[in-house]
């Protein structure tokens, strides 16, 4: 699916998809030809889910598959992390999302001949993910070996309205000859996604940390299995985590002639086979309704009762009600969330697919986190990262705040374990785990995991954004404030004061890792310090807010946590004294205290087969160079943009963009936003394309592991914050648009404190229309306006901001002298290109030569 490499100046829409196979449709993802060559990718692209339950886009026959997958958010197994060399405080408990019993299998036999798509004679084929209906459908015409044409139609839905419900419909119509048919509908415990007949394809030759840990031992231990009439129930308990699950399925048949049913129920296997003799023109319709319920403590038998209640309700309400509720839920979702790109249906299709994935990842999480792959795959083990707070929650905060609130409440429920983790690392307050499902740290590699202390500030940032956007002071006073206080305490304890000659005291933070995982365990990482400063100030401001406005809540807070005025003042002092490093020689913010002393990795001469770097080089090799996995300083420029001038942003972007590999899907959206802000409009668009098609085009060659949820959230941010020029760092929403030259218009929605405003940016103007609520104030390039429901407001635009052609010059700093007198030259590890590697002797010669020139 990947396209050829594009140049920066090419602003035409990319063609990452084969448009004969995947035609353009603004509301649907359509596949017109089945292929077994990219099953992993299409299983991800056509997955359906609701944030709680997810079904990969496996075909119904259950044989042709890359990785079978049915996942439930937060349902996981635990295992002991074995370290080759132990040390105090290392993560002890691994967690991996469990592949639960698979309900998708509906196998068809005509004259005892099975329908297997990979070998079938398909006269026609179409598969459609409809993003307005929330339904995956398939329509194919199969010519059997005996020449009988058979029309097979199916639908699959995971309900947004009923959290625990999935529905599958399967219709068979013989067109030519009468024949016996059999439909085998199954519920199969595959154990870690394996095919029941053979193992899945062999694992990758190169170890990939992005994939889930493979569990070798049995995970789901049978606790119950029974079938009665058309309903079957299976129950399990995880061997180590103790989590429990029940899954139930019920069938109904619509067929005008007689048919018989055979039922089999075993511990790991349940099926009902429906057999009939069908005449030409007759349609055999099978409906399969499935329910899942899970728990940490409730026994499977009680969960089975809950499944039965769900199925009873569906039977009472009728099937049509479920599809209508799904359509109605999505109608409301799109009314709040849709982003419209004027005049380009291909871009529109991709944008909506990304926004639809956000709903599928989180809509009915209802108290769970947002996993890095949502419920579409097992990548990253189903863990929650900082991705949620920085990349996904801004979208939900401004479009569906209830979903944002639920995700933040999950962090609150983890607070007790975060406090224990901080104590284990000899810190006060709370330290949230870098990656987790159950609240325990699951990152075995502390240098690029636990050391990313900035996750505390990222969570605080999301809380602050949510509260300011919604006015939900109840959440702040009862839950959010505890997180703000305990994270501020961690920063105040982690940092220390140091006297700087001529500059007084500064507050320093050592031994941490920033967002860039190619540089670890450093001192004064810019992103960490900038976000810690925010966290400290945010905690102080909100504690004082409670003190002034809600004395009773403030009294409860002081009773719970013992907060004092002296402590608040110390947070403010630490924030004011935070070390924000600046390199006078290069005129940039160094990523950390020693970053500019490292050699610059020569990305231009790095072979494509050596990318991404993390799969081809030992971490210590990468750590010795100036090379970024993802935006670090540039992300700080976006999240805390009010604290940097335009000149600083441009200088920092010019320096860091050329040494950023893009090996992380988190990077492109941020680079797009800042590129747009400082004026690199062509580059901003290129980064946007690369983010928009991360999964649709399989640009990182790992879409088979599941949707990159953070990237889908980042797509919205790139549109709203980047091209829409939206900023929310002050009390009033502000706008400074950067619409691409090739776009007619961009329309997006924002909800603030009960008011939803539609923002439409055109080349010559920006228009605000109140769609719901009383109104609000906005700023456009420094001028304030009041919006009401009476009429839309249109503000003329003289331009779309500064316009800089091309991209930062990757060689601009080559030959520049560092503060220590050395000269910046790009280089490579010896194993990549020995001839271009800078040896220690060459570097030393250059230093001596430079000092000799100074003496002259």
């Amino acid at each position: 699916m990947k396209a050829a490499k594009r140049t920066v100046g090419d602003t035409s829409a990319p063609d990452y998809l084969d448009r004969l196979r995947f035609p353009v449709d603004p509301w649907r993802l359509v596949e017109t030809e089945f292929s077994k060559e990219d099953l992993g990718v299409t299983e991800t692209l056509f997955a359906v889910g609701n944030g709680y339950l997810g079904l990969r886009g496996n075909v119904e026959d259950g044989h042709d598959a890359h990785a079978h997958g049915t996942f439930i958010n937060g349902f996981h197994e635990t295992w002991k992390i074995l370290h080759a060399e132990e040390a105090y405080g290392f993560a002890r408990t691994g967690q991996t999302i469990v592949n639960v019993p698979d309900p998708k299998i509906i196998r068809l036999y005509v004259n005892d001949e099975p329908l297997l798509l990979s070998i079938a004679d398909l006269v026609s084929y179409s598969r459609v993910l409809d993003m307005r209906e929330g339904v995956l459908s398939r329509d194919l015409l199969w010519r059997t070996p005996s020449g009988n044409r058979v029309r097979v139609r199916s639908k699959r839905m995971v309900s947004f309205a009923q959290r625990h419900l999935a529905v599958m419909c399967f219709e068979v119509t013989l067109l030519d000859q009468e024949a016996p048919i059999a439909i085998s509908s199954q519920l199969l415990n595959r154990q870690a996604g394996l095919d029941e007949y053979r193992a899945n394809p062999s694992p990758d030759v190169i170890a990939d940390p992005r994939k889930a840990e493979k569990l070798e031992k049995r995970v789901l231990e049978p606790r119950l299995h029974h079938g009665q009439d058309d309903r079957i129930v299976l129950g399990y308990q995880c061997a180590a985590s103790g989590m429990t699950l029940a899954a139930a399925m019920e069938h109904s048949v619509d067929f005008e002639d007689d048919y018989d049913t055979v039922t089999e129920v075993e511990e790991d296997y349940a099926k009902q086979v429906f057999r009939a003799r069908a005449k030409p023109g007759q349609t055999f319709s099978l409906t399969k309704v499935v329910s899942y319920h899970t728990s940490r403590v409730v026994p499977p038998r009680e969960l089975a009762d809950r499944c039965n209640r769900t199925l009873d309700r569906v039977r009472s309400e009728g099937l049509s009600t479920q599809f209508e509720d799904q359509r109605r839920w999505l109608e409301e979702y799109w009314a709040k969330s849709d982003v419209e790109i004027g005049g380009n249906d291909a871009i529109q299709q991709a944008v909506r697919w990304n926004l639809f994935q956000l709903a599928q990842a989180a809509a009915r999480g209802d108290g769970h986190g947002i996993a890095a792959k949502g419920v579409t795959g097992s990548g990253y083990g189903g863990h929650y990262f900082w991705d949620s707070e920085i990349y996904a929650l801004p979208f939900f905060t401004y479009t569906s705040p209830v979903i944002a609130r639920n995700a933040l409440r999950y962090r609150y429920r983890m607070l007790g374990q975060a406090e224990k983790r901080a104590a284990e690392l000899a810190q006060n307050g709370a330290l949230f785990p870098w990656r987790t499902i159950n609240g325990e740290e699951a990152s075995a590699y502390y240098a690029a995991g636990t050391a990313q202390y900035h996750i505390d500030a990222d969570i605080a940032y999301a809380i602050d954004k949510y509260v300011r956007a919604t006015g939900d002071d109840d959440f702040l006073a009862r839950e959010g404030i505890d997180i703000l206080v305990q994270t501020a305490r961690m920063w105040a304890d982690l940092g220390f004061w140091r006297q700087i000659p001529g500059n007084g005291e500064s507050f320093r933070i050592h031994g941490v890792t920033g967002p860039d995982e190619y540089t670890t365990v450093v001192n004064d990482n810019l992103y960490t310090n900038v976000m810690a400063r925010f966290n400290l100030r945010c905690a102080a401001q909100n504690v004082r807010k409670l003190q002034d406005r809600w004395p009773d809540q403030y009294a409860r807070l002081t009773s719970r946590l013992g907060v004092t005025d002296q402590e608040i003042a110390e947070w403010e002092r630490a924030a004011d004294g935070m070390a924000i490093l600046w390199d006078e020689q290069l005129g940039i913010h160094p990523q950390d205290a020693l970053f500019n002393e490292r050699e610059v990795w020569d990305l231009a001469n790095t072979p494509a087969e050596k990318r991404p770097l993390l799969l081809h080089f030992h971490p210590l090799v990468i750590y010795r160079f100036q090379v970024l996995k993802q935006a670090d300083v540039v992300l700080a420029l976006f999240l805390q943009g009010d604290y940097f001038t335009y000149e600083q942003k441009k200088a920092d972007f010019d320096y860091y963009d050329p040494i950023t590999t893009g090996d992380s899907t988190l990077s492109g959206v941020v680079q797009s936003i800042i590129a747009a802000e400082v004026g690199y409009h062509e580059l901003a668009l290129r980064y946007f394309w690369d983010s928009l098609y991360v999964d649709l085009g399989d640009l990182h060659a790992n879409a088979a592991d599941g949707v990159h949820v953070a990237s889908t959230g980042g797509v919205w941010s790139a549109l709203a914050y980047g091209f829409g020029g939206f900023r929310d760092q002050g009390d009033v929403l502000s706008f400074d648009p950067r619409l691409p030259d090739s776009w007619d218009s961009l329309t997006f929605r924002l909800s603030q404190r009960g008011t939803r405003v539609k923002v439409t940016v055109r080349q010559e103007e920006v228009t605000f229309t109140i769609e719901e609520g009383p109104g609000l104030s906005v700023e456009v390039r420094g001028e304030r306006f009041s919006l009401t429901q009476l009429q839309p407001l249109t503000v003329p635009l003289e331009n779309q901001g500064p316009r800089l052609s091309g991209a930062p010059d990757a060689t601009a700093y080559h030959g520049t002298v560092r503060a220590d007198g050395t000269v910046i030259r790009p280089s490579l590890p010896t194993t990549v290109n020995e001839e271009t590697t800078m040896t220690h002797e060459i570097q030393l010669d250059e230093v001596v030569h430079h000092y000799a020139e100074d003496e002259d």
Side-chain angles (χ1 to χ4, degrees):
M1 289 188 179
K2 288 186 284 187
K5 186 176 180 63
R6 295 162 50 81
T7 60
V8 172
D10 183 2
T11 59
S12 61
D15 191 11
Y16 287 117
L17 297 174
D18 175 355
R19 287 306 181 182
L20 293 177
R21 183 181 171 200
F22 299 98
V24 172
D25 187 308
W27 280 105
R28 307 185 305 161
L29 181 64
V30 180
E31 181 187 42
T32 62
E33 179 184 347
F34 174 79
S35 173
K36 63 179 181 180
E37 301 304 319
D38 58 356
L39 279 173
V41 176
T42 56
E43 286 166 7
T44 293
L45 299 187
F46 289 96
V48 290
N50 64 6
Y52 172 74
L53 171 64
L55 309 179
R56 279 179 65 78
N58 304 113
V59 297
E60 281 86 343
D61 65 62
H63 294 299
D64 297 311
H66 170 81
H68 299 281
T70 301
F71 302 102
I72 293 177
N73 190 354
F75 188 76
H76 67 278
E77 179 63 312
T78 57
W79 41 277
K80 182 179 180 181
I81 298 176
L82 300 177
H83 299 277
E85 296 184 17
E86 291 286 349
Y88 179 81
F90 276 10
R92 300 294 177 206
T93 305
Q95 303 136 55
T96 301
I97 194 169
V98 173
N99 209 327
V100 301
D102 183 3
K104 300 185 296 292
I105 309 165
I106 303 177
R107 292 181 175 140
L108 171 64
Y109 303 83
V110 177
N111 245 339
D112 294 333
E113 295 290 342
L115 171 60
L116 299 176
L117 293 193
S118 57
I119 61 174
D121 180 2
L122 298 178
V123 179
S124 64
Y125 171 92
S126 174
R127 179 163 57 162
V128 176
L129 178 65
D130 191 313
M131 294 174 282
R132 280 182 297 195
E133 301 294 325
V135 174
L136 175 67
S137 60
R138 191 183 70 179
D139 189 335
L140 61 86
L141 184 59
W142 169 41
R143 182 183 286 110
T144 70
S146 62
N148 201 354
R149 292 176 302 152
V150 182
R151 173 74 66 188
V152 182
R153 291 190 173 102
S154 64
K155 291 197 295 186
R156 183 183 299 170
M157 178 189 78
V158 176
S159 175
F160 287 111
Q162 295 208 41
R163 183 180 187 231
H164 302 276
L165 176 67
V167 177
M168 283 146 275
C169 302
F170 195 82
E171 294 182 356
V172 180
T173 306
L174 276 58
L175 302 184
D176 299 315
Q177 307 166 24
E178 179 178 332
I181 65 171
I183 300 174
S184 177
S185 179
Q186 303 178 17
L187 182 61
L188 177 65
N189 179 22
R190 294 181 181 275
Q191 287 296 319
L194 297 179
D195 190 288
E196 65 269 38
Y197 300 106
R198 54 176 173 77
N200 282 345
S202 58
D204 302 286
V205 175
I206 299 175
D208 190 340
R210 300 168 296 184
K211 294 184 180 294
E213 183 76 17
K214 292 190 179 297
L215 300 174
E216 303 297 336
K217 297 181 180 179
R218 183 181 181 92
V219 175
L220 295 177
E221 297 181 340
R223 290 293 182 266
L224 64 90
H225 59 282
H226 60 77
Q228 185 175 3
D229 298 326
D230 292 320
R231 186 173 296 182
I232 296 172
V233 182
L234 301 179
Y236 300 91
Q237 183 169 22
C238 288
S241 72
M243 293 195 74
T244 52
L245 165 120
M249 67 176 179
E250 183 173 66
H251 297 92
S252 60
V253 172
D254 183 6
F255 185 63
E256 59 190 34
D257 284 343
D258 294 336
Y259 67 92
D260 59 46
T261 306
V262 177
T263 301
E264 295 181 32
V265 183
E266 300 178 6
E267 290 183 339
D268 291 320
Y269 177 80
K271 73 174 180 180
Q272 285 193 304
V273 181
F274 302 89
R275 302 181 301 194
R277 190 164 190 90
K279 300 180 180 66
Q282 281 187 317
T283 297
F284 190 101
S285 298
L286 174 70
T287 299
K288 180 178 187 175
V289 182
V290 182
S291 178
Y292 290 84
H293 283 264
T294 56
S295 176
R296 293 180 183 272
V297 294
V298 175
R301 188 166 300 280
E302 182 176 335
L303 296 179
D305 292 339
R306 298 179 186 180
C307 288
N308 284 325
R309 287 195 292 272
T310 299
L311 298 184
D312 288 344
R313 184 165 57 250
V314 173
R315 181 189 293 173
S316 173
E317 294 175 350
L319 192 64
S320 61
T321 298
Q322 312 313 314
F323 286 100
E324 177 60 25
D325 287 348
Q326 183 85 336
R327 186 201 60 77
R328 189 180 301 111
W329 191 97
L330 281 165
E331 184 177 36
E332 182 179 349
Y333 175 78
W334 288 116
K336 299 179 295 185
S337 310
D338 195 19
V339 177
E340 299 161 67
I341 312 297
N344 194 312
D345 283 348
I347 303 173
Q348 189 67 74
Q349 178 187 45
V351 167
R352 285 186 174 132
W353 184 88
N354 278 269
L355 300 185
F356 185 66
Q357 298 311 312
L358 285 163
Q360 295 203 133
R364 298 308 309 271
D366 295 8
H368 289 292
I370 304 173
K373 298 294 186 181
V375 284
T376 63
S378 61
Y380 290 111
H383 293 166
Y384 315 131
F385 295 79
W386 68 303
D387 305 19
S388 304
E389 283 73 25
I390 297 301
Y391 291 89
L393 286 194
F395 166 76
F396 290 119
T397 291
Y398 285 109
T399 61
S400 301
V402 170
I403 298 174
R405 191 182 201 273
N406 282 334
L408 291 172
R409 290 198 70 247
Y410 178 77
R411 290 296 193 184
Y412 174 74
R413 286 166 41 207
M414 292 169 54
L415 182 58
Q417 288 168 297
E419 292 167 345
K420 292 178 182 177
R421 182 61 173 163
E424 193 172 29
L425 272 69
Q427 303 297 155
N428 293 332
L431 178 59
F432 282 90
W434 175 242
R435 59 187 298 173
T436 191
I437 299 177
N438 64 8
E440 297 179 77
E441 178 63 81
S443 176
Y445 184 52
Y446 73 89
T450 298
Q452 296 201 46
Y453 283 59
H454 65 81
I455 190 171
D456 268 20
D458 302 329
I459 294 169
Y461 179 85
I463 291 172
D464 179 69
K465 184 184 292 287
Y466 167 78
V467 172
R468 286 191 297 108
T470 63
D472 189 354
D473 290 326
D474 177 66
F475 169 77
L476 171 68
R478 294 193 299 109
E479 297 170 323
I481 194 66
D482 289 40
I483 296 178
L484 296 180
V485 166
Q486 292 296 66
T487 52
R489 282 175 167 167
M490 191 282 296
W491 293 118
D493 185 50
L494 178 65
F496 61 95
W497 291 96
R498 176 160 291 178
Q499 187 73 31
I500 306 297
N503 289 321
E505 283 188 317
S506 68
F507 193 74
R508 319 303 287 260
I509 297 175
H510 286 186
V512 298
T513 298
D516 170 33
E517 294 171 9
Y518 284 174
T519 313
T520 65
V521 193
V522 299
N523 296 341
D524 291 317
N525 169 257
L526 181 88
Y527 177 87
T528 302
N529 285 17
V530 165
M531 294 301 289
R533 178 178 64 183
F534 161 81
N535 195 164
L536 290 161
R537 286 176 175 163
C538 180
Q541 291 166 359
N542 281 286
V543 171
R544 294 193 189 283
K545 178 179 175 180
L546 291 188
Q547 192 175 23
D548 294 341
R549 301 183 188 178
W550 300 285
D552 56 334
Q553 292 290 358
Y554 176 73
R556 293 188 180 95
L557 172 67
T558 56
S559 176
R560 287 195 308 271
L561 300 179
V563 180
T564 66
D565 288 341
Q566 181 180 1
E567 184 178 22
I568 298 170
E570 180 56 30
W571 297 343
E572 293 171 325
R573 178 170 173 260
D576 292 341
M578 186 68 68
I580 307 298
L581 303 185
W582 177 257
D583 188 318
E584 291 287 352
Q585 196 82 8
L586 298 177
I588 63 167
H589 291 94
Q591 185 169 299
D592 59 74
L594 298 179
F595 187 81
N596 292 351
E597 295 183 13
R598 301 182 180 95
E599 295 307 317
V600 177
W601 190 295
D602 189 356
L603 285 176
N605 290 305
T606 302
E609 61 269 19
K610 292 292 185 180
R611 306 281 290 273
L613 303 185
L614 78 162
L615 298 185
H616 300 279
F617 297 93
H618 191 283
L620 288 176
V621 175
I622 298 174
Y623 297 163
R624 296 186 184 109
F625 285 83
Q626 288 188 43
V627 62
L628 279 62
K629 181 183 178 188
Q630 63 204 65
D632 194 299
V633 171
V634 172
L635 181 57
L637 302 179
F638 167 49
L639 298 183
Q640 293 290 284
D642 283 1
Y643 292 94
F644 300 93
T645 66
Y646 169 83
E647 292 74 19
Q648 289 173 335
K649 291 177 183 178
K650 183 179 181 301
D652 286 342
F653 187 80
D654 285 349
Y655 188 87
Y656 289 105
D657 186 71
I659 60 174
T660 303
T661 63
D663 287 351
S664 168
T665 58
L666 300 181
S667 197
V669 290
V670 177
Q671 289 168 278
S672 177
I673 292 168
I674 296 301
E677 182 176 353
V678 302
Y680 289 112
H681 58 109
E682 298 162 345
L683 183 61
L685 199 53
R686 194 197 77 182
Y687 279 132
F688 174 71
W689 299 140
D690 290 346
S691 302
L692 183 65
Y693 288 96
V694 159
D695 293 311
L696 286 168
D698 193 21
L699 301 187
H700 285 244
N702 64 349
D705 297 330
V707 169
H708 292 83
V709 173
S711 183
T712 65
V715 163
W716 182 86
S717 291
L719 289 164
Y721 290 106
F723 302 135
F726 165 53
R727 292 296 183 273
D728 53 3
Q729 288 149 342
D731 295 331
V732 176
L733 305 184
S734 65
F735 299 85
D736 187 2
R738 299 289 193 271
L739 190 68
D741 292 340
S742 56
W743 290 14
D744 296 334
S745 63
L746 165 66
T747 299
F748 57 99
R749 280 93 176 156
L750 300 168
S751 294
Q752 185 183 48
R753 301 189 177 223
T755 293
R756 185 173 76 235
V757 58
K758 179 174 75 173
V759 184
T760 300
V761 180
R762 298 182 181 88
Q763 294 295 340
E764 69 285 351
E765 64 188 20
V766 55
T767 299
F768 302 93
T769 305
I770 300 298
E771 294 187 326
E772 184 176 276
L776 49 75
S777 294
V778 298
E779 282 187 0
V780 180
R781 295 181 177 170
E783 186 176 356
R784 183 167 294 194
F785 301 90
S786 294
L787 307 179
T788 68
Q789 286 189 334
L790 297 178
Q791 61 183 9
L793 170 72
T794 297
V795 180
L797 298 174
E798 292 185 6
N799 52 54
Q800 292 294 327
R803 283 305 203 236
L804 305 173
S805 297
D809 182 1
T811 67
Y813 288 89
H814 297 173
T816 304
V817 179
R818 300 183 181 91
D820 64 2
T822 59
V823 179
I824 296 176
R825 301 287 187 196
S827 59
L828 290 169
T830 305
T831 55
V832 180
N833 188 341
E834 187 169 354
E835 291 182 0
T836 60
T837 300
M838 294 185 63
T839 64
H840 174 73
E841 288 77 14
I842 293 175
Q843 296 174 47
L844 183 59
D845 286 345
E846 288 189 343
V847 175
V848 172
H849 178 66
H850 170 66
Y851 282 128
E853 287 179 336
D854 283 350
E855 291 172 358
D856 291 341

